Amino acid sequence: MNGRALRIGIKRGWAEHLQLLRNRRELITTLIGTAGLFALLLLWIGDEQVKGTTVSSGMFMTTGFLAFTVFSNALMTLPMALAADREEGTLLRLRTVPGGIPAYLVGRAVTLLCQIAVQSALILATGVAVGGAPLPHDWPALLWVLLLGTVAVVPLGAAIGCLLPGPKTAGAVLGLPMMGLMVTSGVMLPVTYMPEAVQWIAQAFPLYWQGLGLRAAFLPDAMLAAEIGGSWRLPYVAAALAAWAVIGMLLAPVLVRRVTRRESGSRLAERQLTAQAS
Amino acid sequence: MSAAVSVRGLRMTYGTAEVLRGVDLEIRRGEIFTLLGPNGAGKTTTIEILEGFRNRSAGEVSVLGSDPEKGSDAWRARLGIVLQNWRDHNKWGVREIVAHLGEFYDDARDPDDLLAAVGLTGQAGQQVGRLSGGQRRRLDVALGIVGRPELLFLDEPTTGFDPEARQEFHLLLNRLASDDGMTVLLTTHDLVEAEKLAHRTAILAGGRITACGTPAELARAVQAPSRVRWLEDGREQAVTTDDPSRAAWELHERFGGPVPGLEIRRPSLEESYLELIGRAA
């Protein structure tokens, strides 16, 4: 990638981020969908305590929602955006332009990171204000877990986005597994509430590890009573997230290249016809 | 100067279906060239191969001196592309997207001049998604030429236009081509459009170029046989011939004077074209 593509890509990502912020409906959905719902949940059960610990569920849920924000933006919002860009011809448009595809990918990444940053800040602010969540006691852990957790899921999301036929299918295909992981991965309820088989499955996915890492950064050791093995297992967090990052980075370039190379006017027309028919 | 586009023996096969069976084309620099043919004749396939979006099965292709399959970014910067189905960048502002795509080129057109040229100055601040169909298509043309391309591809640019919008669009293309010496290749299934707009036209039917030339040359090349009718022995007689004048003269000789009910019917260019593509299919 050359410097020009990188520079235009960053500008492009920022422009699309501002478009999201200016879009009133999008803004209200984000505000109510993340901060609003979260605040209600905190008011409802935030004062309870996680069983067997002295940690309030408000504190617990703040870290869980933070992890889920990164996860859902990368694995739901990003694939849907990629699928929509293909269906509307955005990807093809950039393909007609010299250096357009690298700039497009940079732009998508920038928009995504901006969204994650805005929503994480909202969740954290709501958690502190309404849920009585503490500020993190381990800032370095917060930073590396957030960064590594993002790198673990963004390439994966890009890869998934390339495999989906269209944005409508994307919602249908991704919605249910996302909900399932949200419930089982220990971000809404402590993972030790789950049957052991479910615990094993949850530990195969990056959401559990990201949540665990964030709890390590925020919560007192009193929480360990409700964690698997009674430990923060930070080396495992690093290893699991890194493994997912590697898988994503191996898959994404191959799939992205395949999808962008195949993009052409007649394929665009076919897809739009199929989308209209369904 | 070498040709803008040169194609020899281009073949394209999808599975067992042969879409292009040896297409030869030569497009000169600075001309408006139309590729005319019925739907499904392989126009879009041809243009996508020239644009470098699709790999051919066989044949030689050179576009601005390069093989499109190996086209570099520098080569791509010399092309402009306008497709049929774009609905992209709907949330961007009109001027914003023109300026954004211009940044990819070294010598891009000024966004405001460009919007004035395509008649979208009044919509500069509007969202792309709120444009009418005709405005959207003019924006697509603006985005196609923002990088001052040497060669512009237009795939069925006026599909769905009303006659007035089509007329305006033709004027716009003529102006752009004559001002900048840009070569234009457009596909259409509309003979009238090809006749009006193009310096030269090639007819693609049944996977081959069946005729190619200026509108007048094309008319001669595709001219279907005329029908000569007359009355003889109280019955209507008719012959089909490529030389109706000779047939009429022979009739006059035979009758030794005026021929009763003589009628010569030359098919219109459109009827000739329809017969031609009917034969090729």
Side-chain angles (χ1 to χ4, degrees):
Chain A
M1 183 179 332
N2 56 31
R4 175 189 272 183
L6 185 65
R7 181 178 54 82
I8 302 177
I10 292 171
K11 270 179 89 171
R12 178 182 168 83
W14 183 246
E16 295 213 310
H17 177 63
L18 292 182
Q19 285 160 16
L20 283 174
L21 289 186
R22 266 189 236 117
N23 183 329
R24 198 171 301 160
R25 204 173 60 188
E26 195 86 35
L27 196 63
I28 291 172
T29 317
T30 309
L31 277 176
I32 295 180
T34 51
L37 272 183
F38 182 48
L40 279 180
L41 209 59
L42 286 177
L43 289 173
W44 182 31
I45 51 170
D47 290 336
E48 290 172 24
Q49 283 193 341
V50 177
K51 220 180 339 182
T53 74
T54 55
V55 175
S56 79
S57 45
M59 289 162 75
F60 173 78
M61 281 192 300
T62 304
T63 59
F65 266 77
L66 216 48
F68 189 69
T69 296
V70 175
F71 192 73
S72 67
N73 268 299
L75 294 181
M76 186 105 182
T77 313
L78 177 64
M80 285 173 73
L82 286 175
D85 285 341
R86 277 161 63 208
E87 185 167 299
E88 291 168 2
T90 302
L91 204 55
L92 181 57
R93 169 84 67 192
L94 272 302
R95 211 193 152 188
T96 67
V97 163
I101 294 295
Y104 165 81
L105 293 172
V106 171
R108 266 277 151 261
V110 168
T111 313
L112 181 70
L113 295 180
C114 287
Q115 266 178 293
I116 289 178
V118 167
Q119 290 177 24
S120 299
L122 270 174
I123 292 287
L124 200 53
T126 314
V128 170
V130 186
L135 285 172
H137 56 76
D138 189 349
W139 282 96
L142 172 72
L143 276 182
W144 77 252
V145 170
L146 268 184
L147 282 178
L148 190 58
T150 307
V151 177
V153 285
V154 170
L156 205 60
I160 293 174
C162 295
L163 294 173
L164 293 169
K168 281 181 199 157
T169 343
V173 171
L174 294 174
L176 216 56
M178 291 299 287
M179 293 303 287
L181 281 177
M182 185 164 134
V183 173
T184 56
S185 289
V187 295
M188 302 288 292
L189 301 163
V191 73
T192 45
Y193 286 17
M194 299 289 152
E196 201 180 322
V198 176
Q199 291 183 24
W200 280 108
I201 295 170
Q203 289 181 77
F205 291 94
L207 180 57
Y208 167 76
W209 296 102
Q210 170 125 34
L212 180 64
L214 289 178
R215 288 197 293 281
F218 277 90
L219 301 183
D221 287 350
M223 180 66 202
L224 286 175
E227 297 291 357
I228 297 172
S231 155
W232 292 125
R233 299 194 288 165
L234 283 177
Y236 288 91
V237 171
L241 292 180
W244 276 103
V246 170
I247 293 174
M249 285 179 193
L250 287 177
L251 282 178
V254 179
L255 292 172
V256 168
R257 208 169 301 140
R258 198 187 70 164
V259 156
T260 53
R261 284 222 181 119
R262 286 172 49 118
E263 215 54 31
S264 70
S266 45
R267 294 208 173 92
L268 183 62
E270 277 165 31
R271 244 194 330 269
Q272 289 178 354
L273 272 180
T274 325
Q276 275 162 19
S278 64
Chain B
M1 198 157 53
S2 68
V5 174
S6 163
V7 175
R8 290 269 164 279
L10 174 61
R11 291 178 175 276
M12 188 72 203
T13 323
Y14 298 118
T16 55
E18 231 187 346
V19 178
L20 301 177
R21 316 172 182 198
V23 169
D24 298 315
L25 268 183
E26 188 97 8
I27 302 174
R28 299 172 198 139
R29 302 240 175 194
E31 73 178 341
I32 300 183
F33 191 95
T34 56
L35 193 57
L36 172 68
N39 291 331
K43 300 189 298 287
T44 299
T45 298
T46 306
I47 211 169
E48 285 181 353
I49 289 169
L50 299 181
E51 290 163 346
F53 287 166
R54 199 176 272 279
N55 291 348
R56 60 190 182 268
S57 306
E60 281 169 46
V61 177
S62 166
V63 174
L64 299 179
S66 286
D67 181 338
E69 286 182 22
K70 303 183 182 100
S72 62
D73 268 355
W75 171 78
R76 187 153 290 295
R78 296 159 67 201
L79 304 180
I81 292 174
V82 180
L83 299 177
Q84 294 180 48
N85 298 286
W86 265 330
R87 296 194 306 238
D88 60 312
H89 291 96
N90 273 340
K91 290 185 183 135
W92 289 63
V94 169
R95 190 186 182 285
E96 188 185 23
I97 187 63
V98 174
H100 170 62
L101 290 179
E103 283 194 73
F104 288 91
Y105 301 90
D106 290 325
D107 181 30
R109 281 175 214 264
D110 177 73
D112 297 308
D113 292 350
L114 185 52
L115 288 180
V118 299
L120 287 176
T121 302
Q123 284 75 31
Q126 207 169 308
Q127 248 189 30
V128 173
R130 303 237 166 92
L131 295 178
S132 73
Q135 290 171 337
R136 168 83 227 207
R137 191 41 60 89
R138 278 184 276 149
L139 174 66
D140 284 338
V141 172
L143 295 177
I145 61 173
V146 66
R148 299 183 197 275
E150 292 168 44
L151 171 61
L152 178 67
F153 293 102
L154 296 151
D155 198 6
E156 306 261 353
T158 56
T159 305
F161 275 27
D162 60 39
E164 200 188 329
R166 181 176 299 223
Q167 174 76 15
E168 265 177 42
F169 192 81
H170 289 168
L171 290 174
L172 169 68
L173 273 189
N174 265 318
R175 203 164 59 233
L176 290 171
S178 59
D179 288 355
D180 299 304
M182 185 171 66
T183 310
V184 179
L185 169 58
L186 81 141
T187 67
T188 179
H189 56 255
D190 182 353
L191 175 79
V192 180
E193 178 160 276
E195 225 187 330
K196 251 184 169 165
L197 200 56
H199 300 129
R200 288 196 307 141
T201 296
I203 296 178
L204 182 64
R208 282 194 190 85
I209 301 293
T210 51
C212 180
T214 62
E217 286 169 349
L218 205 62
R220 274 198 300 280
V222 305
Q223 184 67 59
S226 303
R227 227 172 145 64
V228 178
R229 289 194 290 193
W230 69 95
L231 288 171
E232 196 169 352
D233 307 328
R235 286 224 311 272
E236 188 171 275
Q237 311 281 326
V239 293
T240 302
T241 170
D242 285 326
D243 193 349
S245 171
R246 169 169 290 274
W249 182 66
E250 284 168 359
L251 278 173
H252 282 99
E253 292 261 281
R254 187 147 63 81
F255 277 82
V259 181
L262 179 67
E263 203 178 292
I264 298 177
R265 202 170 166 288
R266 287 177 190 270
S268 69
L269 186 54
E270 186 152 19
E271 287 168 308
S272 300
Y273 166 65
L274 288 175
E275 188 185 303
L276 184 79
I277 63 176
R279 270 204 309 260

